[in-house]
Amino acid sequence: MSSPEAHKTPSPKVAAFLQRSHGLLIGGEWVQPAAKGEIAVFDPATEAQIAVVAAADAADVDLAVAAARRAFEQGPWRRMSGATRAKLIWRLADLLIENADELAELETWDNGKPMHDTRAVDLPVASELLRYFAGWATKLNGISASIGDPGDYQAFTVREPIGVVAQIIPWNFPLIMAVMKLAPALATGCTVVLKPAEETPLTALRLGELVAEAGFPPGVVNILTGIGEVAGAALSVHPDVDKIAFTGSTEVGRKIVQASAGNLKRVTLELGGKSPMVVLSDADVEAVIRGATTGIFFNSGQSCMAGSRLIVHERVHDQVVAGIAERARAIKVGSGFDPSTQIGPLVSQTQFQRVTGYIAAGLKAGADLIAGGERVGDRGYFVQPTVFTGADPSMSIVAEEIFGPVLSVTAFADEDLEAIAALANTTRYGLAASVWTQNVGKAHTLAGLIRSGQVWVNGHHVGGADLPVGGYKQSGWGRENGRDGIEAYTEVKSIAVALRPAGDWLALKG
Ligand code: NAI
Ligand code: MG
């Protein structure tokens, strides 16, 4: 644990931002919420309140949706060329980099994660997502279709923006999540109401300022800070929202599906996960130890794709477990502002209680605790990287998403790939998986048998803007990133043009 002194005071720019009164971004203006609701924002490393933001309610949601609708129907946005939209999106990416130090610091105050991560990972990833999707703005083409006889019809499809999109995001990668949602919507010509998580609203608010600075037309991006059950629920049920894109818990995903039924809005969901890391007996053990440690503990385990179930062949089990446990014990847990920190606190008291509750449940169920298991310090939401062995699928630490630095290890003796895949697939989730083996045939076979949206071979957390992410089973609906991700913000329109007068079908009945 780093000393409290390592927890710095905010830089002047960030201090000024934290002290400001923050409104809601609606129709290009920062406005106060109708009912004057507020949300306190806390530093998860000290539990101290660091800012206050506005809490939108249903009346504010109505205003934001109306602003997005006006911008979509009447504004210049949808009528601009893709190339012009791309330039604005690219400009926003530039502004993220120009303001990277400030944004990275804000993210660390808000979420707790190490600032060397927010600066070296979150900011570049966010700006590259914008640049990637900017490229799609000029490449959203349909197909030409053959119907009738040659010369009868010219038929083709076009992809049009879905319309007004509500985007509800979580707190684990606040800025990346905001940009991953915004970028494809903007590239297609949709307009957006974005609601960040109540735990981490700060970088979304700063992003809203940069959106204005970049020169987006008013109302194209609206940002509402607010409570999920209030503002999020109002967006999900809103009759004038055409699509909702959500990342968060499976439980809330289900509520969003129900709420969206009223106007049958399009829904994409990126939900929970319980991703297996499957280690065969021929795996490169050193690579597994390094990769699996990152797979579970990166971002304090607060990742939907965290490799939270290690499923390992008994021949290499002891060696792999000993290596991971040793690395887990050596991980430096502390303030995100201490340059030597490797993982920061959990995001909130709620998550701290949830994660420590799962650790207690694992102990009670009889799993063997071989590393961690304790809180770190007595202030802030720090939890030790924790490893349980002897975990079986009936235990809650194996069955449920913990979303913290807790790994459960299950050994297997089987050589049969179908049986191994069945073990990996014993979960209601299907977001990601990694397979560790040096045998190319086994790697491909398992990749085919595992039911999840992503399978990595000899790596974990491998991705990029061009590679779709999303879930099988209860991990969600649809995909984000890549062509699949952008197409999810479009409607397909089929157009058929008759090239000469058609025959009279009534005449045929004579
Ligand atoms: P959550 O699903 O409640 O929150 C995510 C977002 O949904 C936030 O913006 C929240 O304001 C909003 N929300 C909450 N209730 C809503 C409702 N009724 N209608 C519309 N929007 C609503 O997740 P929470 O409570 O922060 O975390 C609980 C668990 O969810 C975590 O322990 C983890 O297992 C999972 N989770 C998964 C994430 C992922 O990346 N797939 C991200 C965050 C949480
Ligand atoms: Mg919740």
Side-chain angles (χ1 to χ4, degrees), residues 229 249 251-252 354:
E229 289 79 1
S249 61
E251 177 200 355
V252 171
R354 183 188 297 255

Side-chain angles (χ1 to χ4, degrees), residues 410-458:
T410 307
F412 65 88
D414 235 299
E415 299 292 344
D416 174 43
L417 296 179
E418 298 267 356
I420 295 167
L423 197 54
N425 289 334
T426 306
T427 169
R428 65 187 173 118
Y429 296 114
L431 197 56
S434 56
V435 174
W436 301 79
T437 174
Q438 301 193 59
N439 181 309
V440 177
K442 288 180 178 175
H444 281 283
T445 304
L446 271 178
L449 291 170
I450 290 176
R451 292 180 49 75
S452 68
Q454 298 190 83
V455 180
W456 300 302
V457 176
N458 295 330

Side-chain angles (χ1 to χ4, degrees), residues 187-509:
T188 59
C190 290
T191 59
V192 174
V193 181
L194 175 78
K195 193 202 83 64
E198 44 270 60
E199 292 84 355
T200 55
L202 299 179
T203 46
L205 291 170
R206 185 70 186 105
L207 183 66
E209 296 175 352
L210 298 178
V211 163
E213 196 177 327
F216 285 83
V220 168
V221 177
N222 304 274
I223 297 180
L224 300 182
T225 48
I227 301 291
E229 289 79 1
V230 181
L235 282 167
S236 329
V237 82
H238 203 290
D240 206 28
V241 168
D242 298 307
K243 168 183 163 109
I244 189 144
F246 171 76
T247 298
S249 61
T250 294
E251 177 200 355
V252 171
R254 214 170 265 119
K255 287 187 190 168
I256 286 174
V257 168
Q258 282 160 357
S260 68
N263 70 333
L264 292 174
K265 47 177 77 64
R266 280 74 181 118
V267 179
T268 46
L269 304 170
E270 210 257 80
L271 307 176
K274 193 72 190 177
S275 301
M277 303 190 284
V278 181
V279 182
L280 303 191
S281 56
D282 70 354
D284 172 345
V285 167
E286 284 310 312
V288 171
I289 291 168
R290 280 196 308 276
T293 306
T294 311
I296 178 60
F297 298 125
F298 170 63
N299 211 41
S300 306
Q302 301 173 122
S303 161
C304 48
M305 295 172 203
S308 49
R309 288 186 295 144
L310 183 70
I311 299 175
V312 53
H313 196 280
E314 60 181 13
R315 272 209 295 282
V316 287
H317 172 276
D318 292 357
Q319 207 188 339
V320 164
V321 163
I324 294 174
E326 189 189 329
R327 285 178 81 93
R329 288 187 209 104
I331 287 174
K332 181 109 188 289
V333 182
S335 157
F337 294 111
D338 181 338
S340 67
T341 287
Q342 289 166 314
I343 67 174
L346 300 179
V347 76
S348 66
Q349 181 163 34
T350 306
Q351 287 307 114
F352 177 79
Q353 280 164 350
R354 183 188 297 255
V355 171
T356 50
Y358 275 113
I359 294 173
L363 287 168
K364 197 159 167 229
D368 299 313
L369 179 71
I370 59 150
E374 300 284 337
R375 175 178 201 172
V376 178
D378 53 10
R379 196 175 60 130
Y381 308 123
F382 299 97
V383 174
Q384 288 176 337
T386 297
V387 180
F388 281 108
T389 55
D392 77 69
S394 69
M395 296 177 181
S396 65
I397 55 166
V398 182
E400 294 169 28
E401 180 173 57
I402 300 178
F403 228 67
V406 183
L407 177 68
S408 70
V409 186
T410 307
F412 65 88
D414 235 299
E415 299 292 344
D416 174 43
L417 296 179
E418 298 267 356
I420 295 167
L423 197 54
N425 289 334
T426 306
T427 169
R428 65 187 173 118
Y429 296 114
L431 197 56
S434 56
V435 174
W436 301 79
T437 174
Q438 301 193 59
N439 181 309
V440 177
K442 288 180 178 175
H444 281 283
T445 304
L446 271 178
L449 291 170
I450 290 176
R451 292 180 49 75
S452 68
Q454 298 190 83
V455 180
W456 300 302
V457 176
N458 295 330
H460 202 96
H461 291 306
V462 184
D466 201 30
L467 197 62
V469 296
Y472 279 43
K473 300 195 273 185
Q474 293 184 37
S475 287
W477 284 358
R479 295 293 179 269
E480 292 186 289
N481 288 350
R483 176 193 286 269
D484 299 86
I486 189 139
E487 288 184 351
Y489 285 90
T490 64
E491 293 281 8
V492 175
K493 181 179 281 175
S494 296
I495 300 175
V497 181
L499 300 182
R500 47 191 164 79
D504 178 1
W505 73 271
L506 282 178
L508 293 175
K509 313 258 155 136

